[in-house]
Amino acid sequence: MHHDRTPQTDPPRTAKVLEGITVLEQGTFITGPAAGMLLADLGADVIKIEQPGAGDPFRAFRGGLYSPHFQTYNRNKRSITLNTKTPEDAAVFDELVQRADVYIQNFRPGAAERLGAGEARLRELNPRLIYCAISGFGQTGPSAGRPAYDTVAQAASGFLNLLVNPANPRVVGPAIADSLTGFYAAYGILGALVERARTGVGRSVEVSMLEAMCHFNLDAFTHYFSEGEVMGPYSRPSVSQSYTLRCGDGRWVALHMSSPEKFWRGLAVAIERPTLFDDPRYATREGRIEHQEQLIELLGEIFATRTRDEWCERLLAQDVPHAPMYDTSEALRDPQARHLELEVVGRHPVMGEWRTVRSPVSFDGVRDTHVVPPPILGEHNDEVRAELRARDASATE
């Protein structure tokens, strides 16, 4: 049956698909907080449990407790400080566990049990609890007790070997292993929430940085399993025919040509070399892969003759897959990024205006442009405790 929709005058409300789900995050640095943030972005009430005084170690910055690193992974959350060595705070912690749906920690294996936050004890308090433990190398095994940071996990999984430039061997780029492990943890939690809706019983969710990065590095392992090929830093860019080219104004453009011939014909027109790909070295996909070094040199000389804006205009006219190689100050000013409203602004009562990049997921065509800035340490101590008291009062009536 067809129903006419009544026209809406108010802008549609963003779907908060995890509304009503309470998450306790006892996380520090990136992996646990990243998982919590992903759930918070979907509408969960994420209560970040922190140590009094200093809080999450990622807070510390220039004498304050609101570092850019901390801000990255802690929006849309509430903060409560608890010293669970005191009976009063231990009781508050247990009450929070009893009303929570999810608990997240990224302690070293064994630490949660010493802190009274092990899965067995928390599950006794709340059988419906989904307990997520994030580690570096796993909860058991010969490396379980080792310290693990982002670069350690990237290296151990074989991923770092695909990033380091042999000509200038040094670690590059952001904390990929940390943030991806947070993604995989959130993915596991969401699966457990779906199952709990059927069974009413919570599960333990475990993920380690090593497991997450090995899975993320699956393409390299598949090439090895299938063909015995050990991929290197240039393996995929060579096959995908990817280029970064310096333009005449010192700015850069990136191409990802792939294999369709139409893109190569378009590139030949854009660079005014219509016969370039008649050359047998570059006429086929196999030839272009084999002779990529020569193509890099050739295209580099050509692209040095015009500005980036000129090249982007020419490449766009010929439908060549490309983008300016923006830096952070440029990317969000691009017309498409502006159209998608990627940059959003919130206002913190103490810290003032706060800018971030919104969640990339839209529901029913509505972008979530509303954001709550990260909390200052213990910002919601009174609020969360008052909610617990109100809940206790209603339970005894």
Side-chain angles (χ1 to χ4, degrees), residues 27-293:
T28 57
F29 297 108
I30 298 178
T31 55
M37 183 191 76
L38 290 166
L39 302 175
D41 282 357
L42 295 181
D45 176 18
V46 178
I47 300 170
K48 186 177 179 77
I49 298 170
E50 302 189 71
Q51 283 294 316
D56 183 338
F58 234 26
R59 281 184 175 274
F61 180 67
R62 294 182 181 171
L65 294 174
Y66 209 68
S67 76
H69 284 310
F70 173 81
Q71 293 178 50
T72 300
Y73 300 103
N74 288 285
R75 68 191 186 198
N76 292 327
K77 300 179 185 177
R78 299 195 286 171
S79 168
I80 181 173
T81 54
L82 292 177
N83 175 9
T84 52
K85 292 176 182 171
T86 69
E88 188 210 350
D89 282 7
V92 171
F93 177 77
D94 284 3
E95 277 193 78
L96 285 169
V97 169
Q98 286 167 338
R99 68 180 277 258
D101 299 285
V102 179
Y103 172 83
I104 300 169
Q105 54 94 339
N106 62 318
F107 304 129
R108 276 212 218 178
E113 285 71 20
R114 291 194 297 275
L115 294 168
E119 187 207 351
R121 195 182 87 81
L122 300 198
R123 192 161 304 291
E124 280 182 20
L125 293 169
N126 181 357
R128 288 175 53 82
L129 187 71
I130 288 154
Y131 185 101
C132 179
I134 304 170
S135 62
F137 287 98
Q139 297 295 323
T140 59
S143 294
R146 285 173 55 188
Y149 286 102
D150 182 83
T151 305
V152 174
Q154 285 196 41
S157 64
F159 188 75
L160 188 62
N161 188 55
L162 301 179
L163 292 186
V164 171
N165 179 348
N168 181 20
R170 57 181 296 174
V171 176
V172 296
I176 298 171
D178 282 329
S179 55
L180 277 170
T181 304
F183 262 94
Y184 280 111
Y187 158 80
I189 289 165
L190 290 172
L193 282 168
V194 171
E195 183 199 45
R196 195 192 66 175
R198 293 195 307 270
T199 66
V201 179
R203 260 195 200 272
S204 165
V205 176
E206 290 181 6
V207 63
S208 71
M209 294 170 71
L210 179 60
E211 290 165 295
M213 285 311 293
C214 283
H215 185 274
F216 187 69
N217 201 22
L218 184 57
D219 185 58
F221 288 118
T222 304
H223 276 77
Y224 177 67
F225 296 148
S226 175
E227 299 294 327
E229 178 192 356
V230 176
M231 297 179 82
Y234 302 135
S235 302
R236 188 209 57 101
S238 170
V239 171
S240 67
Q241 285 293 292
S242 300
Y243 296 84
T244 53
L245 300 162
R246 194 171 193 266
C247 303
D249 55 358
R251 297 191 293 175
W252 293 72
V253 67
L255 306 178
H256 186 129
M257 298 303 296
S258 191
S259 54
E261 288 300 319
K262 65 176 183 176
F263 294 147
W264 292 97
R265 288 195 298 272
L267 178 61
V269 173
I271 64 177
E272 296 178 353
R273 300 289 197 282
T275 62
L276 176 60
F277 300 108
D278 296 340
D279 184 321
R281 291 176 298 173
Y282 314 133
T284 64
R285 177 173 182 264
E286 291 73 23
R288 293 188 289 263
I289 291 170
E290 185 181 347
H291 297 100
Q292 190 179 34
E293 286 299 323

Side-chain angles (χ1 to χ4, degrees), residues 363-378:
F363 295 100
D364 296 332
V366 181
R367 301 173 193 137
D368 188 2
T369 58
H370 174 74
V371 67
V372 178
I376 58 173
L377 183 61

